[in-house]
Amino acid sequence: MRWSTLGFAASCMTRTASALDPVEAYGGKFFNKDGSQFFIKGVAYQLVPDDPLLDADQCKRDFSLMKELGVNTIRVYHVDANGQHDGCMKEMDNAGIYLLVDMDTFGTYIEASTLYWNSTQYDRYSKVMDAFHNYNNVLGFFVGNENIAKQGDSPAAPFLKAAARDLKAYRDKRGYRKIPVGYSAADIVQLRPMLQDYLTCGGNSSEIVDFFALNSYSWCDPSTFEKSSYNMLQEYAKDFPVPIFFSETGCNVPGPRLWDDQDAIFTQPMVNDWSGAIVYEWIQEENHYGLISYGPKVDPSQQGEHVADGFTRKGTPTPVNPDFGNLKNKWSSNRPTGVSKKDYDAKKVSTRPCPTSTIGGWWQVNGNVKIPAVDETVTAALSTKASATADASTKPSDSTGGGAQKTGSSDKKGDDSSASRDRRITAIGLSAAGVVLGFALFL
């Protein structure tokens, strides 16, 4: 379906001075220009498949309500690099909101099944950077989302690292601001600990991600720091070498969402290492994760210019309560101050050894393997070179579990399960996948 936008004057407007200053990634934290620490209070925002940042009028309505909610960051999964974004970026700036944007398109996702990082992908990703680098309120770019989510997927990790390396080199060659380039991972216990270490290991800052983010739905109210497995997520995040945050969270079973996980994220011990969270999601859809709606559900057969899959996708946003109100109250009471940049010692962060593979294990990348060049073959890319390796026996045990993905909003999971969904499916079908079932497997 082709989504059209209402005409607006953004095509002829000139960019005005930005109210927001750029945020910097330094060591394991984000910092504002004044040296105060920046914490993400974000929401996933993808009203339409191709690009929700083209309609300035709709952006103004949504971002105004987001400001009331306490949002300071949004995540957008797909954008049109050729689109006109000045209007929405200005409205975002006026509301005090930063942008995290995924760089892949429907045809350029780094697939674990095919294993390549090619010129077409590189060109498409760099065009997204070209389109957004000039906005001060761009917080960062994602090179991937849940590309590695099941057994057999880990050989794709060097290609994700290659994408981060090449996009950072492109950024620097063009003289762009050093906007952080990172990755959004599925919370799969058999993969996530090794993946976060691998993407930041090797000792070459030009080849690692600038931040690591996690899609996790393991905290289902009512829960606790231990029951949700957040205690183990914290163990792996201690003194992490780059900023780490939740790029999706907000389990809605059994509901309503009380958002007690936000208390954990923004207080000790997690606030010492985590940089905040993005909750899923802004618009109400069949999965019932929405914080707002644009009207009552309609017959799914009634497709229209601004209606798809039974949900209106434009208009005046109306809070979905009690979830909206509960989150507003949580964020208004959670006001972490963090550490000042001048008092922060970036040398204390811990760059971990590159993880090794084990026979029959889910992680199959053996140490600091050669990162492939653009269009390089898989065989050459996965040849091993000498490096430090991690001893699996030093890893803390983890109580989260991974499992096969389920589709449907009625899927439920235990409090000790890991959950994550593929946002490509969301954007294509505008119907979010459900949560991941499975009990814990111990490392």
Side-chain angles (χ1 to χ4, degrees), residues 56-304:
D57 290 337
Q58 188 59 47
C59 285
K60 184 175 183 178
R61 297 186 195 102
D62 289 336
F63 299 157
S64 176
L65 186 58
M66 285 185 193
K67 183 177 182 179
E68 177 185 326
L69 178 61
V71 172
N72 66 12
T73 305
I74 64 169
R75 178 185 181 181
V76 173
Y77 297 91
H78 290 283
V79 293
D80 177 2
N82 297 316
Q84 172 54 259
H85 301 103
D86 281 359
C88 281
M89 292 305 296
K90 181 59 180 175
E91 295 300 339
M92 200 183 307
D93 186 88
N94 290 341
I97 296 173
Y98 288 86
L99 172 68
L100 284 162
V101 60
D102 291 61
M103 305 177 82
D104 64 275
T105 59
F106 296 124
T108 60
Y109 191 79
I110 297 174
E111 297 281 359
S113 59
T114 52
L115 294 181
Y116 57 76
W117 167 242
N118 62 29
S119 300
T120 299
Q121 292 168 313
Y122 174 80
D123 290 344
R124 297 284 180 84
Y125 285 41
S126 60
K127 285 181 180 178
V128 173
M129 183 175 285
D130 290 341
F132 286 90
H133 78 93
N134 222 18
Y135 300 108
N136 280 352
N137 57 331
V138 172
L139 178 59
F141 296 105
F142 291 104
V143 295
N145 178 65
E146 300 189 4
N147 306 68
I148 297 174
K150 63 182 185 298
Q151 190 169 16
D153 284 355
S154 62
F159 297 88
L160 294 169
K161 208 165 184 177
R165 174 202 61 198
D166 293 344
L167 269 299
K168 289 170 63 172
Y170 179 84
R171 174 196 68 191
D172 296 344
K173 181 179 180 181
R174 295 297 298 266
Y176 294 163
R177 173 171 64 88
K178 287 189 178 296
I179 302 174
V181 176
Y183 176 71
S184 174
D187 184 12
I188 307 297
V189 63
Q190 300 93 336
L191 294 167
R192 178 251 308 144
M194 287 70 73
L195 179 59
Q196 69 182 57
D197 288 354
Y198 174 76
L199 292 179
T200 56
C201 77
N204 187 341
S205 62
S206 68
E207 294 184 342
I208 68 172
V209 294
D210 294 323
F211 62 82
F212 182 85
L214 186 64
N215 296 344
S216 179
Y217 295 82
S218 64
W219 188 303
C220 299
D221 294 318
S223 192
T224 65
F225 186 58
E226 292 77 17
K227 189 177 180 181
S228 66
S229 78
Y230 270 39
N231 59 327
M232 301 317 305
L233 295 182
Q234 169 59 18
E235 283 297 312
Y236 286 105
K238 283 182 178 178
D239 295 326
F240 200 64
V242 298
I244 184 170
F245 60 91
F246 292 89
S247 44
E248 284 181 19
T249 190
C251 173
N252 66 353
V253 280
R257 290 181 284 186
L258 306 176
W259 306 104
D260 287 345
D261 62 322
Q262 301 300 298
D263 290 332
I265 293 168
F266 292 113
T267 59
Q268 293 186 355
M270 295 188 78
V271 74
N272 296 331
D273 299 286
W274 292 81
S275 293
I278 295 171
V279 304
Y280 191 79
E281 67 175 321
W282 182 244
I283 185 175
Q284 182 75 301
E285 299 181 274
E286 191 63 38
N287 56 25
H288 303 297
Y289 274 85
L291 293 171
I292 66 92
S293 71
Y294 299 107
K297 184 178 179 181
V298 299
D299 189 322
S301 65
Q302 298 180 17
Q303 302 292 330

